[in-house]
Amino acid sequence: DLRHSEFADLSIPLVTNVDARLIRSGAEARESLIRQVSSPVRWRETVDYLVAEGVENFVEVGPGKVLGGLVRQAAAGTPVRCLNVEDNLSLAAVRSSLAAAIYAAGGSV
């Protein structure tokens, strides 16, 4: 039972698809995961939130590219890049692509 499971605070903030808002605590993560099982997903609101926060790169993990297409559709009119990781080869390609984008923007990896 998740209600009795201990969740550590998050080292990277997470935008939940139940509330379409940013969380940082382990308790919030546990509660949103519990609610996610029986609540509607707020996909469009989640993508809207991320785009409004300046997110330009989205990474879909798993076979296929359905979610990337849904991100592009939800973010219509906003330039976003959707990448896909489904195996070690595609993981290496995505890591390289994101590192190049960070470097081009003047950041460090």
Side-chain angles (χ1 to χ4, degrees), residues 47 65-78 80-83:
V47 174
K65 299 179 181 178
V66 172
L67 296 178
L70 292 173
V71 166
R72 280 189 288 280
Q73 184 180 20
T78 304
V80 295
R81 184 168 65 147
C82 300
L83 306 166

Side-chain angles (χ1 to χ4, degrees), residues 2-5 7 16 18-19 21 23 25-37 39:
L2 284 174
R3 293 192 194 283
H4 303 294
S5 299
F7 279 59
T16 69
V18 172
D19 298 315
R21 69 177 181 88
I23 63 170
S25 78
E28 289 174 306
R30 181 184 55 243
E31 289 307 310
S32 66
L33 186 58
I34 290 167
R35 289 181 27 242
Q36 178 177 309
V37 173
S39 299

Side-chain angles (χ1 to χ4, degrees), residues 23-107:
I23 63 170
R24 290 186 167 87
S25 78
E28 289 174 306
R30 181 184 55 243
E31 289 307 310
S32 66
L33 186 58
I34 290 167
R35 289 181 27 242
Q36 178 177 309
V37 173
S38 61
S39 299
V41 171
R42 297 179 61 190
W43 179 260
R44 177 161 230 115
E45 293 95 336
T46 301
V47 174
D48 289 347
Y49 177 87
L50 291 167
V51 169
E53 290 295 311
V55 174
E56 297 174 345
N57 296 293
F58 291 81
V59 179
E60 179 175 355
V61 179
K65 299 179 181 178
V66 172
L67 296 178
L70 292 173
V71 166
R72 280 189 288 280
Q73 184 180 20
T78 304
V80 295
R81 184 168 65 147
C82 300
L83 306 166
N84 177 264
V85 173
E86 59 184 52
D87 55 24
N88 288 337
L89 186 60
S90 58
L91 174 60
V94 166
R95 289 181 69 189
S96 177
S97 179
L98 291 174
I102 291 169
Y103 180 76

